[in-house]
């Protein structure tokens, strides 16, 4: 067991509570930065993919895990981020400028859409945002002169200060680019969590009525959460489009939204770690499946198997491990720390008191 | 001028008149109680002050400011904090985080500053923590500091909710049945706290409470409601012995029963 002796308020305010934790995450970062020297180009590409999914997932996590609003429409914001970034680059903007602007524009559009959408709750919000995802798909086709429609678009070359980022000739550079974006987004996410902004998100998630009674402007807070979430997911979309080099309306189909939801639920709702664990699952599950079908079915492809497994996994996690993989890990860690004193009933789900929104 | 001034306020829910032409004023420094049988409209008065509902007529003024001109989330910024009859905490968050939400009205930095965690945000955070630690000390919440609400017993949750309201450093504190469901010891603690809140912190208190023993000990003015109307006002003793109040409680026996029960237990 570890004990924290808190000697100043900064212990709670800082990113890491002690040097042990700080060292751990620094080591992890060093390992992540050194990965190109440890694995081959194929797996480096997969690792880049994981990081890109993590960015998109962190966006949705902020909205769903932190603020309690569902969205099945985040594929639309990935698309918006991607097309904005590419169109800006084609118009002559340097990559970094186009990328940042794409995030900002996606955030602003997301916030504007949030104003009417967030009057809806729960399943109605889910349906409305799902409609948004399908609408985006159609819009990309309709706007073919700009978006390339179903034929798709080739991503322009990414250069920063004359340095070329090509995933085939220079996979390590692409990986580091994605890593830098992930680190910056994670840092911003952590900052949100430790400031009044993040606490107002949690307040809105847990009890709108008492959030209001504490002076939180619920509508404004939800709008901010939606905008920030869309901005981050938009950045993820931009990276995804640029990394895949060719993309069209199907790259950002509504199934991507479902995968994003699955990712954060399986990873662990409300945890930053959850977005990363979910991204790993999302990226490696298709390969695992193809290995399994190869050995069992000798190469016969089963159509729809991937979606079916994704869906099944989502249902299983909601039923049996709503805290996701990260929640499971937390329990294992407590068990190890207490060994041999852990009790079996310790992790039984707490029966929470009925959440009322009644005022009586 | 009174700190809180409610004039001729009426609110109907469909056919039910929850509050009927009610007027009351709470003076600075008072501990003022609203009593009355269930469904009398007490909580509705709180919800009117919080601006969750808009009355059909009348006015509500706080220190001269017209509350009816403000949206609900602006009310706390004037220095009004409250608790709920059915505890409304942020149950996935820790006790510390719940109390910190109480500081919301004192934040200054905007969204972008928060995201970048500028030095000003750190300064503000330190101030918030200092204020919250005072509340934690005052209410003896240290053992629960980093625990999530979802795992806490009922009595502790009640105290956390009081703490969250206090963390906002209000001028007026609205307590909706602060002692309901508490044990005798917990009720005793609540009594000392309410006394200290008034004496040491100089906070005016408006509370709804069924426990007449507690009301008699901490309140200097009591208003009895029935069917949304005021039926009596005065000192606790005057109101308790008022014939209309006794009649209103007849059949429920709430006043005498709770008072007796508490009296017998002590
Ligand atoms: N949101 C609401 N919708 C409909 N009726 C309500 C609502 N809130 C309160 N009431 C009704 O108003 C009356 C007063 O309720 P309330 O203020 O909660 O009483 P008290 O707190 O004194 O027990 C009751 O008859 C109650 O049923
Ligand atoms: Mg009530």
């Amino acid at each position: 067991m570890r004990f924290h002796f808190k000697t100043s308020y900064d212990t709670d305010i800082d990113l890491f509570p002690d040097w042990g934790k700080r060292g751990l995450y620094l080591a992890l970062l060093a390992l992540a930065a050194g990965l190109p020297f440890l694995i081959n180009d194929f797996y480096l590409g997969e690792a880049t993919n994981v990081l890109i999914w993590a960015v998109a997932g962190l966006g949705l996590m902020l909205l769903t895990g932190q603020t309690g609003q569902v969205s099945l429409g985040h594929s639309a914001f990935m698309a918006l981020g991607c097309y904005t970034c590419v169109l800006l680059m084609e118009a002559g903007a340097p990559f970094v400028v186009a990328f940042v602007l794409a995030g900002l524009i996606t955030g602003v559009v997301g916030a504007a859409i949030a104003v009417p959408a967030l009057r809806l709750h729960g399943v109605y919000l889910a349906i409305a945002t799902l409609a948004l995802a399908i609408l985006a798909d159609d819009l990309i086709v309709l706007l073919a002169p700009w978006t390339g429609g179903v034929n798709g678009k080739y991503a322009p070359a990414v250069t920063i200060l004359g340095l070329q980022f090509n995933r085939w000739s220079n996979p390590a550079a692409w990986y580091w680019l994605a890593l830098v974006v992930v680190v910056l987004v994670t840092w911003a996410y952590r900052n949100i969590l430790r400031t009044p902004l993040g606490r107002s998100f949690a307040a809105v998630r847990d009890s709108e009525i008492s959030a209001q009674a504490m002076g939180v402007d619920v509508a404004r807070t939800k709008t901010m959460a939606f905008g920030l979430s869309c901005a981050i997911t938009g950045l993820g979309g931009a990276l995804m489009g640029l990394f895949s080099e060719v993309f069209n309306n199907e790259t950002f189909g509504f199934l991507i939204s479902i995968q994003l939801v699955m990712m954060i639920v399986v990873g662990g709702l409300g945890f930053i770690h959850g977005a990363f664990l979910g991204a790993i699952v999302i990226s490696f599950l298709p390969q695992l499946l193809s290995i399994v079908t190869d050995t069992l079915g000798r190469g016969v492809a089963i159509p729809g198997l991937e979606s079916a497994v994704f869906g099944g996994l989502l249902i299983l996690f909601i039923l049996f491990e709503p805290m996701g993989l990260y929640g499971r890990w937390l329990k294992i860690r407590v068990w190890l720390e207490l060994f041999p004193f852990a009790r079996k009933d310790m992790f039984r789900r707490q029966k929470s008191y009925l959440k009322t929104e009644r005022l009586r | 001028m009174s700190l809180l001034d409610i004039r001729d306020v009426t609110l109907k829910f469909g056919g039910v008149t929850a509050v009927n032409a009610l007027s009351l004023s709470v003076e600075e420094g008072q501990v003022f109680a609203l009593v009355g049988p269930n469904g009398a409209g007490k909580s509705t008065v709180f919800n009117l002050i919080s601006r969750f509902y808009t009355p059909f007529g009348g006015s509500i003024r706080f220190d001269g400011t017209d509350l009816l001109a403000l949206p609900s989330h602006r009310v706390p910024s004037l220095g009004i904090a409250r608790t709920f009859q059915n505890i409304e905490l942020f149950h996935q968050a820790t006790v510390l985080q719940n109390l910190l939400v109480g500081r919301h009205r004192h934040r200054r930095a905007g969204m972008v500053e928060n995201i970048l965690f500028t030095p000003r945000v750190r300064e503000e955070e330190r101030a918030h923590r200092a204020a919250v630690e005072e509340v934690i000390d005052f209410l003896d919440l240290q053992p629960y500091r980093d625990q999530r609400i979802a795992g806490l017993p009922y009595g502790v949750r009640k105290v956390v909710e009081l703490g969250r309201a206090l963390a906002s450093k209000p001028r007026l504190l609205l307590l909706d049945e602060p002692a309901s469901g508490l044990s005798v010891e917990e009720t005793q603690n609540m009594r000392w706290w309410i006394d200290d809140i008034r004496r040491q912190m100089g906070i005016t208190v408006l509370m709804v409470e069924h426990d007449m023993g507690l009301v008699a000990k901490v309140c200097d003015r009591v208003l009895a409601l029935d069917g949304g109307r005021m039926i009596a006002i005065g000192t606790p003793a005057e109101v308790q012995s008022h014939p209309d109040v006794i009649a209103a409680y007849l059949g429920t026996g709430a006043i005498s029963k709770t008072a007796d029960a508490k009296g017998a237990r002590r």
Side-chain angles (χ1 to χ4, degrees):
Chain A
M1 276 252 246
R2 253 191 322 252
F3 292 96
H4 291 303
F5 294 102
K6 295 180 179 165
T7 45
S8 84
Y9 298 134
D10 284 344
T11 315
D12 280 336
I13 298 172
D14 285 340
L15 280 176
F16 305 104
D18 55 30
W19 273 103
K21 270 266 156 59
R22 191 167 294 147
L24 186 69
Y25 283 99
L26 278 177
L28 195 65
L29 185 63
L31 179 70
L35 210 57
F37 305 112
L38 302 175
I39 58 179
N40 67 28
D41 286 356
F42 172 74
Y43 281 105
L44 198 58
E46 291 302 303
T48 310
N49 209 29
V50 168
L51 294 179
I52 293 172
W53 272 107
V55 174
L58 281 169
L60 185 60
M61 186 71 88
L62 189 65
L63 186 68
T64 306
Q66 249 62 49
T67 323
Q69 312 294 311
V70 270
S71 168
L72 296 179
H74 263 46
S75 59
F77 298 106
M78 289 179 79
L80 183 60
C82 176
Y83 283 101
T84 312
C85 182
V86 168
L87 288 174
L88 284 169
M89 283 166 78
E90 283 176 354
F95 165 73
V96 176
V97 175
F99 186 66
V100 171
L101 273 180
L104 287 178
I105 291 171
T106 311
V108 170
V109 172
I113 290 175
V115 174
L118 290 173
R119 286 163 187 247
L120 305 170
H121 285 259
V123 72
Y124 298 102
L125 181 62
I127 293 168
T129 49
L130 179 63
L132 204 61
I134 292 165
L135 188 71
D137 195 330
D138 292 340
L139 268 180
I140 294 171
V141 178
L142 283 174
L143 297 176
W146 296 281
T147 62
V150 282
N151 295 328
K153 221 171 167 47
Y154 287 95
V158 176
T159 45
I160 300 175
L161 301 173
L163 183 66
Q164 280 267 357
F165 290 75
N166 183 291
R167 67 178 289 190
W168 308 114
S169 61
N170 198 353
W174 238 108
Y175 170 83
W176 281 320
L177 173 66
L179 185 64
V180 168
V181 175
V182 162
V183 169
L184 285 177
V185 166
T186 309
W187 173 72
Y189 197 119
R190 279 284 288 151
N191 285 347
I192 292 172
L193 290 191
R194 60 185 170 147
T195 52
L197 185 62
R199 292 194 294 266
S200 64
F201 288 176
V204 166
R205 173 191 66 198
D206 287 352
S207 167
E208 286 189 15
I209 205 72
S210 66
Q212 217 166 34
M214 291 296 119
V216 176
D217 183 343
V218 173
R220 196 182 131 89
T221 303
K222 281 186 184 174
T223 307
M224 282 195 289
F226 209 89
L228 287 172
S229 162
C230 290
I232 297 174
T233 300
L235 294 179
L239 286 181
M240 194 172 283
L242 291 171
F243 187 61
S244 57
E245 297 196 312
V246 199
F247 53 91
N248 66 1
N249 56 322
E250 282 180 18
T251 313
F252 303 106
F254 90 95
L255 264 177
I256 297 286
S257 286
I258 310 284
Q259 287 192 352
L260 274 179
V261 171
M262 182 198 123
M263 194 177 126
I264 60 171
V265 171
V266 169
L269 266 187
F271 303 108
I272 291 179
H273 301 77
F276 285 89
L277 293 174
I280 292 171
V281 172
I282 279 279
S283 306
F284 287 104
L285 200 63
Q287 286 189 32
L288 193 71
L289 282 177
S290 71
I291 293 171
V292 171
T293 47
D294 277 358
T295 47
L296 291 183
R298 304 192 207 325
V300 187
I302 306 170
L305 177 69
E306 213 177 289
S307 318
V309 171
F310 278 146
L313 210 60
L314 183 58
I315 293 173
L316 287 178
F317 265 91
I318 289 175
L319 285 178
F320 299 111
E321 193 57 274
M323 302 263 283
L325 288 172
Y326 189 66
R328 170 55 47 188
W329 157 243
L330 286 182
K331 288 175 195 169
I332 293 172
R333 199 175 67 187
V334 170
W335 188 86
L336 289 175
E337 279 174 356
L338 292 180
F339 186 83
F341 301 113
R343 294 193 322 270
K344 231 200 203 134
D345 62 351
M346 226 163 65
F347 304 118
R348 229 180 13 215
R349 237 178 288 164
Q350 292 277 1
K351 194 159 148 199
S352 58
Y353 287 78
L354 188 68
K355 194 178 148 197
T356 66
E357 289 268 300
R358 283 186 325 159
L359 299 174
R360 282 176 273 164
Chain B
M1 189 178 54
S2 319
L3 187 63
L4 178 72
D5 193 44
I6 299 181
R7 275 282 139 78
D8 203 24
V9 159
T10 298
L11 183 70
K12 295 191 180 115
F13 293 109
V16 182
T17 307
V19 175
N20 197 346
L22 181 75
S23 297
L24 70 86
S25 21
V26 180
E27 306 300 324
E28 185 122 41
Q30 255 179 356
V31 176
F32 193 113
L34 283 179
V35 301
N38 277 324
K42 307 176 297 291
S43 298
T44 305
V45 172
F46 277 22
N47 293 335
L48 281 165
I49 300 170
S50 291
R51 295 287 293 112
F52 294 153
Y53 306 136
T54 299
F56 291 0
S59 71
I60 304 178
R61 304 184 83 80
F62 178 75
D63 197 22
T65 310
D66 180 14
L67 287 189
L68 298 185
L70 298 178
S72 150
H73 63 85
R74 296 266 297 121
V75 171
S77 62
L78 300 177
I80 300 179
R82 68 169 288 174
T83 66
F84 292 83
Q85 182 173 346
N86 305 303
I87 306 172
E88 287 284 348
L89 286 166
F90 310 119
H91 58 275
Q92 297 293 335
T94 65
V95 168
L96 183 69
Q97 287 163 342
N98 267 271
L99 298 186
L100 283 167
V101 176
R103 301 288 304 161
H104 195 79
R105 80 177 182 101
H106 297 284
R107 86 208 178 288
R108 290 288 165 271
M111 183 182 84
V112 175
E113 282 176 276
N114 275 223
I115 294 172
L116 299 177
F117 207 78
T118 57
R120 174 160 102 134
V121 173
R122 181 178 285 273
E123 271 322 302
E124 273 189 31
E125 273 301 293
R126 287 198 184 116
H128 294 327
R129 308 265 162 175
V132 162
E133 290 307 328
E134 270 177 36
V135 173
I136 288 179
D137 281 342
F138 174 64
L139 298 174
D140 287 328
L141 282 171
Q142 295 90 344
Y144 309 105
R145 206 168 173 280
D146 293 315
Q147 288 191 31
R148 293 201 318 160
I149 303 298
L152 292 178
Y154 180 86
V156 179
R157 293 179 188 211
K158 275 238 111 74
V159 180
V160 175
E161 216 194 13
L162 173 64
R164 185 180 62 182
L166 284 177
S168 79
K169 290 227 154 69
R171 291 177 67 195
L172 175 67
L173 182 60
L174 311 176
L175 302 175
D176 200 344
E177 308 204 3
S180 75
L182 295 188
S183 69
V184 181
E185 295 92 290
E186 288 167 337
T187 307
Q188 188 70 259
N189 279 337
M190 192 57 80
R191 183 203 152 178
W192 302 131
W193 285 326
I194 295 173
D195 270 341
D196 286 349
I197 286 167
R198 179 240 289 265
R199 300 237 162 75
Q200 293 173 12
M201 307 185 179
I203 297 172
T204 309
V205 179
L206 174 60
M207 63 190 246
V208 168
E209 184 51 60
H210 283 300
D211 181 343
M212 283 307 283
L214 180 65
V215 168
K217 286 193 189 93
V218 299
C219 301
D220 16 49
R221 208 159 166 78
V222 180
L223 186 152
L225 273 179
D226 189 25
R229 284 182 181 283
M230 179 185 95
I231 52 174
I233 186 162
T235 63
E238 284 164 8
V239 169
Q240 226 172 330
S241 57
H242 194 284
D244 288 350
V245 175
I246 294 168
Y249 275 99
L250 215 62
T252 71
I255 280 201
S256 52
K257 208 164 37 186
T258 48
D260 287 354
K262 294 280 174 180
R265 268 185 279 172
R266 271 183 209 124

